[in-house]
Amino acid sequence: MTTAEFRAATAEETRALGARLATLLAPGDLVVLSGPLGAGKTTLVQGVAEGLKVRGPITSPTFVIARVHPSLSGGPALVHVDAYRLGGTLEVDDLDLDASLEESVTVVEWGEGLVEGLSEDRLEVHLERDAEGEERRVRVTGVGPRWSELSLT
């Protein structure tokens, strides 16, 4: 398991971190985002989308649960999921995320405890926002063989 910690002072820096993470991502990758409301999960996904060069706009898919953003550059599509309203793993199974997992990059907000079974290899990203300001602390952990040799810094 590989872990790296980052700080992002603004929403723009959070997007830039997402774009940087996108350079590490490939088809079949699963990214699980966690953190409280307002921590910057969707903002980070906007950066990932920018880095992957997919069609936008990237907004929280809270009410539609999942959106597919096709590549504009021949790369993998981005499957952006918001698991906030899901009641458990059975509802995750109903989304058939494993059907598109191999050819897409799948990013799941609020996925902690729900989607880890989709892949033994994943990035777990936890975001926290400082109480006093905009700064965010971001902890990125690579889980599984895919991430064991990769430097996240």
Coordinates of all heavy atoms in Angstrom, one line a residue, residues 86-95 111 113-118:
L86 N -27.1 5.8 -2.2 CA -27.2 4.3 -2.3 C -27.3 3.7 -0.9 O -26.5 4.1 0.0 CB -26.0 3.8 -3.1 CG -25.9 4.2 -4.5 CD1 -24.7 3.5 -5.2 CD2 -27.2 4.0 -5.3
G87 N -28.1 2.7 -0.8 CA -28.4 2.1 0.5 C -27.4 1.0 0.9 O -27.5 0.5 2.0
G88 N -26.7 0.5 -0.1 CA -25.8 -0.6 0.2 C -25.2 -1.2 -1.0 O -25.4 -0.7 -2.2
T89 N -24.5 -2.3 -0.9 CA -23.8 -2.9 -2.0 C -24.7 -3.5 -3.0 O -24.4 -3.6 -4.2 CB -22.8 -4.0 -1.5 OG1 -23.5 -5.0 -0.7 CG2 -21.7 -3.4 -0.7
L90 N -25.9 -3.9 -2.6 CA -26.9 -4.4 -3.6 C -27.3 -3.3 -4.6 O -27.4 -3.6 -5.8 CB -28.2 -5.0 -2.9 CG -28.0 -6.3 -2.2 CD1 -29.2 -6.7 -1.5 CD2 -27.5 -7.4 -3.1
E91 N -27.5 -2.1 -4.1 CA -27.8 -1.0 -5.0 C -26.6 -0.7 -5.9 O -26.7 -0.3 -7.1 CB -28.2 0.2 -4.3 CG -29.6 0.0 -3.6 CD -30.1 1.3 -2.9 OE1 -29.7 2.4 -3.3 OE2 -31.0 1.1 -2.0
V92 N -25.4 -0.8 -5.4 CA -24.2 -0.6 -6.2 C -24.1 -1.7 -7.3 O -23.9 -1.4 -8.5 CB -22.9 -0.7 -5.4 CG1 -21.6 -0.7 -6.3 CG2 -22.8 0.4 -4.4
D93 N -24.5 -2.9 -7.0 CA -24.5 -4.0 -8.0 C -25.5 -3.7 -9.1 O -25.3 -4.0 -10.3 CB -24.9 -5.3 -7.3 CG -23.8 -5.9 -6.5 OD1 -22.6 -5.5 -6.6 OD2 -24.1 -6.8 -5.7
D94 N -26.6 -3.0 -8.8 CA -27.7 -2.7 -9.7 C -27.1 -1.7 -10.8 O -27.7 -1.6 -11.9 CB -28.9 -2.1 -9.1 CG -29.7 -3.1 -8.3 OD1 -29.5 -4.3 -8.6 OD2 -30.5 -2.7 -7.5
L95 N -26.1 -0.9 -10.4 CA -25.5 0.1 -11.4 C -24.7 -0.6 -12.5 O -24.3 0.0 -13.5 CB -24.7 1.1 -10.6 CG -25.4 2.0 -9.7 CD1 -24.4 2.9 -9.0 CD2 -26.4 2.9 -10.4
G111 N -18.0 6.5 -2.0 CA -17.9 5.1 -2.3 C -17.3 4.2 -1.2 O -17.4 3.0 -1.2
G113 N -16.6 1.8 1.6 CA -17.4 0.8 2.2 C -18.4 0.2 1.3 O -19.2 -0.7 1.7
L114 N -18.5 0.7 0.1 CA -19.5 0.2 -0.9 C -18.9 -0.4 -2.2 O -19.5 -1.4 -2.7 CB -20.4 1.4 -1.3 CG -21.4 1.9 -0.3 CD1 -22.1 3.2 -0.8 CD2 -22.4 0.9 0.1
V115 N -17.8 0.1 -2.7 CA -17.4 -0.3 -4.0 C -16.0 -1.0 -4.0 O -15.5 -1.3 -5.1 CB -17.4 0.9 -5.0 CG1 -18.8 1.5 -5.1 CG2 -16.4 2.0 -4.6
E116 N -15.4 -1.1 -2.9 CA -14.1 -1.8 -2.9 C -14.1 -3.1 -3.5 O -13.0 -3.6 -4.1 CB -13.5 -1.8 -1.4 CG -13.2 -0.5 -0.8 CD -14.4 0.2 -0.2 OE1 -15.6 -0.3 -0.3 OE2 -14.2 1.2 0.5
G117 N -15.2 -3.8 -3.5 CA -15.3 -5.2 -4.1 C -15.2 -5.2 -5.6 O -15.1 -6.2 -6.2
L118 N -15.3 -4.0 -6.2 CA -15.2 -4.0 -7.7 C -13.8 -4.3 -8.2 O -13.7 -4.7 -9.3 CB -15.7 -2.6 -8.2 CG -17.1 -2.2 -8.0 CD1 -17.4 -0.8 -8.4 CD2 -18.0 -3.2 -8.9

